[in-house]
Amino acid sequence: MRALTGHTDRVEAVAVMRDGQHAVSASLDGTLRLWELETGRCVRVFSGHTGGVQDVALHKDGEHMVSAGRDGMLRLWSARTGECILERRSPWPALRGVRLHPDGQRLVCWGYDERVELSTLDTGDSPRMLRSHEAPVTCVAISRDGHRLVTWGYDNTVRIHSLESGELATTFDGPDSEVVSAELHPDGRRAMVACTDGSLRVLDLQTGAWRLLGHHGYPALTLALSPDGRELVSGGEDDAVRLWDVETGANKATYAPPSSGEGSIADAHRLAVSAVAFLPDGRHVLSGSFDRTLRLWNTATVIHEPPPRHRLPVRLLTLAPDGQRLVSGDAENWRVWAVPSGACVQKLLSPPGSVQVISALPEAGRVLAGRNDGPVDVWALEPHSLLGQLAGHTRGTLAVAALAGGREALSGGRDKLVKHWSLEQGTCLRTLEGHGQAVMALAPLPDSRRAVSASADMTLRVWRLDTGECQRVLEGHTDIVLTVVAHPDGRRVVSGSMDKVVAVWDVDSGDCLQSLEGHTGAVHALALLPDGRTLFSASEDGTLRKWDLESGTARGTWKPGAVPRTLVASAQGVIAVGLDSGEVLFLSWNE
């Protein structure tokens, strides 16, 4: 890896020359720079734009290039001498991008509206304007045979024009997220796009069908295809450069700094990656960043990374009913994990609304998300999309739980209420009232006929769900009850509180059967193994404790190195822990 420095503002575009030994960068500092890649030396600086340079396109002769500036100017440069040979004002006060036709004579440029302009380098022919979209154009690509112009716009459409006639040939629906970078595959049948929701997608240019390739994670900003079309490189707001297999979608490598929680490369970019390009050999990638530098990567080098983690404390954790997938979340993003291997298989942006709690539904790939502003959202993970919303809480939702079968759910919130929902109809079946403070946690009993709620009023309540009747109030904690889990026998629940106590309750009599003491801080989370005998607790004191419920004794204590915030256990006995450090740990705790 090599760093190329010299720009005084962020890099907006990079392009590699045909010799594979030189590259050009465009920057908001108003200049372009020609680089010698073997040494990292800046060979030449191209000055003339009176605003930032937004894009650059290389001529097929390897001797010239065209730049598009925020000053609205197009400039043709000699790479050999640095001279500006031609300049022309575009129809826009600021240009967004430029592409050169394979014939080397024509170009396409676009600004910040719904039009694109077709023109020639020598301006001998009058420019031709196409109204390509009903909203501003975001990306443009020219097919390698030079016959088709493909454009993407804010109107969420993809449009294919004939470059000869300018006529609109085909319109397809977009991917439901803004496309910020696009490139046509060498086979001419597919287009690869990067979206602001972090997804990388493949468009079939014959049918208009979309396929999800992978998730860059944070908003993706740029992508590029290898010369043979087998690999794709992406860059985004997470400061990372990621290498992908185009056919399988496998994330083959990630080049990121240690501070990202994923990387192990000390000299990686420190700010968003805004531009990427493959070298002709297909084994090296050049990237440009908001940190004003360019970096040259050898993609043939295997990077052994530490396990990925969240940037921020992990406050959300839910396990799919089949025990095969785990979803974790912080304030910025969600991750989906394969429980058997502990591998992170998907990274998603956290939905809007400051999600406070999540719960997996029996239907694969669906999650309930309780929001700080009140509603409960129903999300699909693949593709990441909002399926519906349950609106009813007047303040933040702090607890959600799916009932057996996945057709109904419960939610609890700061408004002191428990709500019973039909997920099929999206309606509230009944509202359960009684708590004097916020509802912090919910635990349906195994038969789904009753549920237990935990509250900031220091009590738990046992509810009959078909009538909404409160059958029992469980009293004994001396501070806010933060968590509750149901025992597999259906007759007991276990609660954890800010009073540092873990309590075991009989839901029929309301009696406290056991008080498990030992934590020196609030008990945040609990998880029971399927045997009904082994309990794990996570506390503000920075420890995990293992308890034997039959004897009521602690069987072990472990300090994971950061405060454990959330905890779940699978039917196979795997325990997943979310930490304040951003890590998600998978444990198999033996004696």
Side-chain angles (χ1 to χ4, degrees), residues 474-547:
L474 311 181
E475 298 179 291
H477 281 296
T478 59
D479 209 331
I480 295 171
V481 187
L482 296 172
T483 182
V484 61
V485 293
H487 194 278
D489 65 13
R491 300 191 303 272
R492 290 176 284 175
V493 295
V494 186
S495 60
S497 167
M498 286 187 70
D499 63 11
K500 311 170 190 175
V501 173
V502 176
V504 184
W505 306 86
D506 185 306
V507 296
D508 293 317
S509 68
D511 294 336
C512 180
L513 304 176
Q514 293 170 307
S515 288
L516 309 180
E517 299 185 17
H519 281 299
T520 59
V523 180
H524 295 140
L526 300 166
L528 267 166
L529 293 189
D531 63 10
R533 178 171 180 166
T534 307
L535 174 77
F536 293 90
S537 57
S539 169
E540 185 70 32
D541 63 15
T543 69
L544 290 171
R545 285 180 178 256
K546 181 180 182 181
W547 306 88

Side-chain angles (χ1 to χ4, degrees), residues 346-363:
Q346 194 176 356
K347 184 177 175 184
L348 312 170
L349 282 180
S350 179
S354 184
V355 174
Q356 300 294 297
V357 63
I358 56 177
S359 178
L361 292 169
E363 187 173 352

Side-chain angles (χ1 to χ4, degrees), residues 116-156:
V116 298
E117 184 191 68
L118 313 179
S119 62
T120 58
L121 281 177
D122 58 12
T123 67
D125 296 329
S126 298
R128 182 171 40 163
M129 191 70 73
L130 297 180
R131 182 183 175 90
S132 185
H133 288 268
E134 302 304 315
V137 176
T138 59
C139 293
V140 169
I142 299 174
S143 63
R144 297 198 176 192
D145 61 13
H147 296 321
R148 294 178 296 169
L149 176 72
V150 186
T151 61
W152 287 261
Y154 277 117
D155 57 5
N156 195 34

